[in-house]
Amino acid sequence: MITSLEQLQKKLNLTEEEKAWKESPQSLPVLITDYFFNLIDPSDPSDPLRKQCVPTCFENMSDGLETPDPLAEVSHSNGERLIHRYTNRVALLTTDICAQYCRHCFRRRFTGNMQGPISDLEISQACSYISEHPEIREILLTGGDVLTLSDSRLSHLISSLREVSPSLVIRICTRMAAVKPDRITDNLINIFKSFKTAPFYLMTQFNHPRELTPEAVAAVSRFVDAGIPAMNQTVLLRGVNDSADTLEELCNGLISARIKPYYLFQGDLVTGTSCFRVPLAKGLEIEKELRKRLSGLAMPVYAADLPEGGGKVPLCGSYIERKEGNNWIFRTLDGSYRIYTDPQL
Ligand SMILES: *Cc1c(COP(=O)(O)O)cnc(C)c1O
Ligand code: SF4
């Protein structure tokens, strides 16, 4: 495990930008697993895996538009840990700890700030809120990384949730398969298997095809084999995966590993992450190109989580050119035109 810039300096030939990174109250700690570090090509200063975990001084900058909480999660929270932004689903911040800290993390206002795992009291508070809100059908167990919880804490959390709401669909949101696949043990999988009243979904975060190692794929397979579908959320990151070629390879690799590409996220306006953000026009171009190259199954939804808590919206160009009477004029993916006619009632 690597936990400091000094340690990194001994292992990598650091760039000027990396050396100039300053730890600050707003910054995320340095934490890189040995497994992930070994996937980095040390001879390439712009290695896409390196960029995701080795900090640079760009993180210490803010472009003036960025804020710590652009999604207004704090004002949509009940207590410190339960975010209720959409009527029928909530996100629970189960811990602020991760196995590895991503330099692009959008929840850095909370992540790695030493609050620690959710307490018994906080679990029962979340449970009473859920029991008072029967409209909640799904919960996202997130953080931080929920799989940094001990098996016993996780088991207690799930059984408490299922007690108040047996049909609650639970999403396990974790980067663990990509950064520490050996955390996915038999014991962990058996915990999920022991709760049978409603499904779990595994939500992974793979950002680059080189993260889909045999170990990572095997870790996800353990969930899928146990009947837990796997969905992936990729963050669109400048210099990491902002090309149609890279994302095409990633999405096809995910499908081969039985992981459905779910979202491709546009970067949020979070303090210290501007170096990772891709201009929206470029993102839309990539989306358009991917739609040509990928199957419907392999195609994620490109989405932005809008500032001031506006919520998630899909991003894609329109294929509707115009409407003439009952006729809708469409542009096809290869740029020709077709007419779809409404019923003449
Ligand atoms: C993204 C998110 C969800 C889940 O949204 P889906 O579009 O259903 O994946 C739920 N709650 C919060 C606070 C979120 O940010
Ligand atoms: S695993 Fe998730 S919460 Fe943790 S640092 Fe990465 S993006 Fe942030």
Side-chain angles (χ1 to χ4, degrees):
M1 212 162 64
I2 293 167
T3 57
S4 69
L5 201 60
E6 293 68 48
Q7 252 176 306
L8 271 173
Q9 207 139 15
K10 288 185 195 130
K11 290 174 177 274
L12 286 177
N13 200 352
L14 292 186
T15 66
E16 290 309 312
E17 288 79 19
E18 289 167 341
K19 281 187 209 153
W21 174 73
K22 295 268 178 305
E23 188 140 29
S24 78
Q26 291 95 340
S27 76
L28 277 173
V30 171
L31 184 61
I32 307 172
T33 64
D34 293 332
Y35 162 84
F36 198 88
F37 186 82
N38 288 329
L39 301 177
I40 293 174
D41 172 1
S43 69
D44 180 5
S46 47
D47 180 84
L49 275 54
R50 173 177 180 151
K51 288 197 163 178
Q52 293 181 65
C53 59
V54 176
T56 67
C57 59
F58 299 120
E59 259 181 61
N60 302 122
M61 300 170 184
S62 174
D63 68 3
L65 300 170
E66 296 174 324
T67 59
D69 183 25
L71 311 185
E73 291 190 330
V74 172
S75 62
H76 288 81
S77 290
N78 183 271
E80 298 252 295
R81 296 192 185 251
L82 198 68
I83 307 168
H84 195 181
R85 174 141 38 104
Y86 305 105
T87 309
N88 59 356
R89 53 209 194 278
V90 287
L92 182 62
L93 307 183
T94 61
T95 175
D96 62 300
I97 299 165
C98 302
Q100 167 167 314
Y101 291 112
C102 310
R103 305 328 301 180
H104 54 269
C105 182
F106 80 99
R107 200 173 276 138
R108 57 213 297 137
R109 64 167 177 90
F110 176 81
T111 310
N113 72 1
M114 306 293 177
Q115 254 166 298
I118 190 165
S119 67
D120 285 348
L121 178 64
E122 290 167 319
I123 291 178
S124 56
Q125 283 166 344
C127 286
S128 33
Y129 184 86
I130 289 164
S131 64
E132 287 156 17
H133 292 83
E135 69 276 17
I136 298 171
R137 306 176 54 88
E138 284 181 40
I139 187 166
L140 288 72
L141 300 185
T142 180
D145 195 318
V146 60
L147 294 187
T148 61
L149 297 186
S150 67
D151 286 358
S152 61
R153 183 111 302 248
L154 186 66
S155 181
H156 173 59
L157 171 62
I158 296 170
S159 64
S160 310
L161 291 169
R162 282 286 162 83
E163 207 168 295
V164 291
S165 180
S167 60
L168 193 65
V169 172
I170 297 181
R171 297 193 208 174
I172 307 296
C173 307
T174 177
R175 187 141 158 79
M176 206 57 91
V179 299
K180 199 176 190 307
D182 64 7
R183 169 69 183 95
I184 319 300
T185 58
D186 289 341
N187 197 46
L188 180 69
I189 297 296
N190 285 335
I191 292 173
F192 296 118
K193 278 184 170 169
S194 70
F195 297 99
K196 298 184 197 304
T197 55
F200 294 96
Y201 283 78
L202 175 70
M203 314 301 289
T204 59
Q205 185 196 141
F206 289 101
N207 294 323
H208 191 276
R210 271 180 32 226
E211 293 166 24
L212 287 171
T213 63
E215 294 91 331
V217 170
V220 175
S221 290
R222 294 182 142 198
F223 282 92
V224 181
D225 289 345
I228 301 172
M231 319 280 280
N232 187 69
Q233 308 191 142
T234 296
V235 189
L236 182 61
L237 297 168
R238 199 199 307 177
V240 173
N241 59 14
D242 55 340
S243 86
D245 287 346
T246 305
L247 288 172
E248 180 187 17
E249 191 186 341
L250 174 66
C251 292
N252 284 329
L254 288 165
I255 283 295
S256 299
R258 297 186 290 171
I259 308 168
K260 162 75 184 120
Y262 177 50
Y263 277 132
L264 171 65
F265 283 124
Q266 175 67 12
D268 301 320
L269 295 174
V270 176
T271 309
T273 59
S274 60
C275 64
F276 284 114
R277 282 201 297 279
V278 176
L280 202 58
K282 181 167 183 189
L284 287 167
E285 271 310 306
I286 293 173
E287 198 272 352
K288 195 170 161 194
E289 184 61 26
L290 287 175
R291 203 164 278 280
K292 283 187 208 165
R293 296 192 200 175
L294 291 172
S295 73
L297 192 61
M299 183 72 197
V301 174
Y302 179 38
D305 220 326
L306 296 177
E308 297 172 57
K312 293 184 183 71
V313 290
L315 299 170
C316 75
S318 176
Y319 295 91
I320 297 174
E321 190 68 17
R322 61 185 186 278
K323 187 170 182 250
E324 290 173 4
N326 275 332
N327 291 334
W328 293 88
I329 320 294
F330 278 88
R331 202 179 34 241
T332 66
L333 287 179
D334 51 26
S336 62
Y337 293 90
R338 294 291 187 281
I339 296 171
Y340 176 92
T341 306
D342 273 339
Q344 335 244 334
L345 290 174

